[in-house]
Every structure is written in C-alpha cells, then in structure tokens.
Amino acid sequence: MLDQKQTDIPGRGPGAGVQAPLPHPTGGSDFARLSKLIKDSGLMGRRPVYYAVRMSLILVLYVGGWGAFLLVGDSWWTLALAAFLAVVFGQVALVAHDVGHRQVFRRSRASAVTGRIAGNLGIGMGYGWWQDKHSRHHANPNHEDLDPDVVPDIFVWTQAQARKATGPARVIGRLQAFLFFPMLTLEGFNLHVAGVRALADRSLKQRRTEGALLFGHFALYLAALFTVLPPGKAVLFLVVHQCLFGVYLGSIFAPNHKGMPTFTGTDRPDFLRRQVLTSRNVRGGRLVDTALGGLNYQIEHHLFPSMPSPNLRRAQLIVHRYCEELGVLYLQTGLVESYRQALTSLHRAGAPLRQAG
C-alpha cells in the first residue's frame, strides 16, 4: 500500500504564476493528455547543439584536469585537483545518464557506445549494470518490491523494512539519518564494485567490451596515480577523489525520491501518479540546474525520461499546472529543504530499530 506515514511532505500545492487553464486534449488517460500537451510544445525534440557544447566542455575539463595533474606532479596541490576531478566525474556520470535515456542520440547503438565510453572508460562505472538497474527504478519508483533503489541492504526506507531488517541494515538503520552523508563517501567505490560484479552476469550485453573498458579505466587511473605520485600521496589522492565523487553523486540523487511515499505489493497507481507522487523537484536557478544535471526537475524527468534535460525547465510549468488541475499532489522544495525531508524520513524509518535497543 501507499506508505504515507513514512514521510512529511510540506510544500506541496500551488506554485507561483499559475494563470489560465491549459487547453486539455480530449480522450485518453491523464498521462496521454499530458503527453500530447508536451509534444505539441515541441519539448521532446532533440537538442544536438546543446549536447555537443555540454559534452565538449566536460571533455575539456576532464582532459584538462588530468593534464594539470601530470603538470603539477608530486605536490599536495594534487588534492585540490582530486576535488575538481570528483566534480568532473559527476558531470560525466550525468552525461552517461542522459545518453542512457536516449536524450542525446536517436539510435540505440550511438547511445550505447557513448554511454560505455563515458561510464566504463571515463569514470569506471558499469554502464550496462547501471542502465538495467536504473530502468527498473524508472518503471516502479519507490516500490519496495520492484525498485532496486529502495532495497534495504544498507539503509531502511520504511518502518516496515526496519522491522524485518537483518545484517548491516539492522545496525546502520538505527542512526542512518546521521550516517547517510558519511556513507556516501563509499558510493564511488560501490559503483566500481557493482560494475565488476555485473560482468559475471552472462545476460549483460557486450560483456567483454564492458569488461575491457572498465578494467582499462582502472589500469589507466592507477597507473597515473602511482607513476606521478609517491605511494602515500597516490592513495590519499584516490581516497579524496573517490569519496568526494561519491558524495557529489549521492547529493544529486538523494533529493529525488528519498522521503517520498512508497508502494508495496500490488498497489500501483496509474503511470502519471506513480511518477509524480514518488518524486520531488528542487527549486533553483541555472547553477542548481547545472550542478544537478537537470535532475532537480525529477517529476518531469520521470514522466518523460527521453526529454533532453535542458527542456525540463519549460516542461515543469506545463506539468505543474496540469497536476494542479487534476488535483495530483506535486512537491517542490529548495535544495536544503529536500535534504532535510530525506534525512527526517530516514530517521523516522529507523525508529523500530532504535526502539528494539
């Protein structure tokens, strides 16, 4: 059932600037009518110039970061470059995300090749593993039985999960709201390990190519660190870089669904409500859009995953007004408030574990 008790969701309701009603198409489901409005607005069209510029800039930053690393050499200043490259790696991950959703290329082959180069070779993330996991998340967001992102492996997301928790989740779940951001320092390492483990799955497409690119990344990465830096500094660079990379990635994805209602069993509303009720938008300007890669428009992204990310800002106005007219709850918050809501929900979910002693 819908787990409304696991989250406080303040801030829902009307937004600023809602004016005349939208011209609703007739016939079809609620989502079909919204989809027609979006398509008629031209927001599903490709943005080749935008992505050419964005991907070129990120490539320049990526190459420039590693070039600066080689030039600086054996110096403590390389730790500043580790922090810089953590952000660049996060931006590469966001490009891989958009490519995986077919936002950039029409052809699946071009998407797959670019995704593997960016993911596997660029940042050491198994693209095939991620795409399978992320597709299942999009199909059933916050469904405890179907969404791999709410599996209670380390954290518990509802009190029902807490009562059944075993292993690490039973220990960590007691203080998980306080441990959430510190635990994100391990997320970069987790992505690498998960990508390698996925290579054992024979159903993984292009498994040999994925493996070659993934281990190619590891070899080049470690060779650069231990050739340029003495062992101690190399290890410190690796820790700083990977931990900050993990925190940045987690900070991008944490506001999207954490602390939102969850589903269980056969409780699955229609597509529009399934996506809107479980997602949270984050308000902000162009800086927030860039830092979060457009995923601050999470509701619109979940409704139209193949929509190019620069179009989401305009789509948000249409979707928000449409949801208001339907009476579908639609949540927008500031960035800090989104983290507060997520952490509050985590703390509440772990209550049965604290009560158990």
Side-chain angles (χ1 to χ4, degrees), residues 64 69 208 272:
F69 171 80
R208 291 183 180 179
L272 183 142

Side-chain angles (χ1 to χ4, degrees), residues 11-321:
R12 287 191 182 270
V18 178
Q19 301 174 0
L22 291 167
H24 283 233
T26 58
S29 67
D30 289 336
F31 176 71
R33 291 190 290 272
L34 174 61
S35 182
K36 187 175 189 309
L37 287 171
I38 291 293
K39 290 177 180 177
D40 289 347
S41 300
L43 295 174
M44 296 304 296
R46 296 285 191 259
R47 296 288 299 272
V49 175
Y50 166 83
Y51 276 111
V53 172
R54 176 180 168 186
M55 293 166 72
S56 296
L57 286 174
I58 292 173
L59 179 61
V60 168
L61 293 175
Y62 186 96
V63 174
W66 284 113
F69 171 80
L70 295 175
L71 289 173
V72 171
D74 183 5
S75 167
W76 291 110
W77 284 106
T78 55
L79 296 184
L81 290 171
F84 171 76
L85 284 168
V87 176
V88 174
F89 268 43
Q91 287 293 314
V92 173
L94 288 169
V95 168
H97 170 273
D98 287 8
V99 168
H101 279 297
R102 303 283 293 277
Q103 295 177 18
V104 183
F105 304 106
R106 293 185 184 278
R107 295 184 179 276
S108 58
R109 178 173 175 77
S111 298
V113 169
T114 305
R116 290 188 180 104
I117 291 173
N120 293 58
L121 184 60
I123 60 175
M125 178 188 77
Y127 176 75
W129 160 81
W130 169 82
Q131 191 176 43
D132 173 71
K133 176 176 178 287
H134 196 62
S135 296
R136 287 185 284 130
H137 158 71
H138 263 265
N140 294 282
N142 274 20
H143 193 291
E144 294 181 39
D145 306 315
L146 302 172
D147 182 357
D149 288 351
V150 292
V151 171
D153 48 1
I154 299 296
F155 299 108
V156 293
W157 307 106
T158 66
Q159 291 188 2
Q161 288 183 343
R163 294 185 187 98
K164 301 176 183 178
T166 59
R170 186 168 185 82
V171 177
I172 294 173
R174 298 178 182 183
L175 298 173
Q176 60 184 14
F178 302 98
L179 296 174
F180 182 73
F181 279 102
M183 290 292 289
L184 287 181
T185 59
L186 302 177
E187 183 58 24
F189 297 104
N190 177 57
L191 287 178
H192 303 322
V193 172
V196 172
R197 284 180 174 173
L199 297 174
D201 183 358
R202 294 185 178 277
S203 66
L204 180 68
K205 295 180 180 179
Q206 298 292 318
R207 189 160 60 112
R208 291 183 180 179
T209 301
E210 292 243 353
L213 292 173
L214 197 59
F215 284 106
H217 168 84
F218 298 148
L220 291 171
Y221 181 85
L222 294 174
L225 265 56
F226 285 92
T227 299
V228 173
L229 301 175
K233 284 182 181 176
V235 171
L236 187 57
F237 180 100
L238 185 151
V239 170
V240 171
H241 177 227
Q242 295 297 328
C243 288
L244 291 180
F245 172 46
V247 170
Y248 180 39
L249 272 187
S251 298
I252 292 171
F253 292 103
N256 300 342
H257 303 281
K258 306 312 178 190
M260 300 302 292
T262 60
F263 300 105
T264 58
T266 59
D267 186 14
R268 296 177 74 234
D270 64 84
F271 180 81
L272 183 142
R273 288 163 180 79
R274 187 160 76 242
Q275 304 300 338
V276 175
L277 294 175
T278 60
S279 302
R280 176 195 292 109
N281 275 15
V282 176
R283 289 189 294 264
R286 298 294 181 182
L287 180 60
V288 172
D289 288 4
T290 300
L292 302 187
L295 295 181
N296 44 314
Y297 303 106
Q298 188 67 193
I299 293 172
E300 290 68 34
H301 170 61
H302 260 255
L303 288 169
F304 304 99
S306 63
M307 178 184 291
S309 59
N311 292 351
L312 293 170
R313 173 185 282 268
R314 290 171 55 200
Q316 189 271 336
L317 299 174
I318 297 173
V319 174
H320 190 182
R321 290 170 59 190

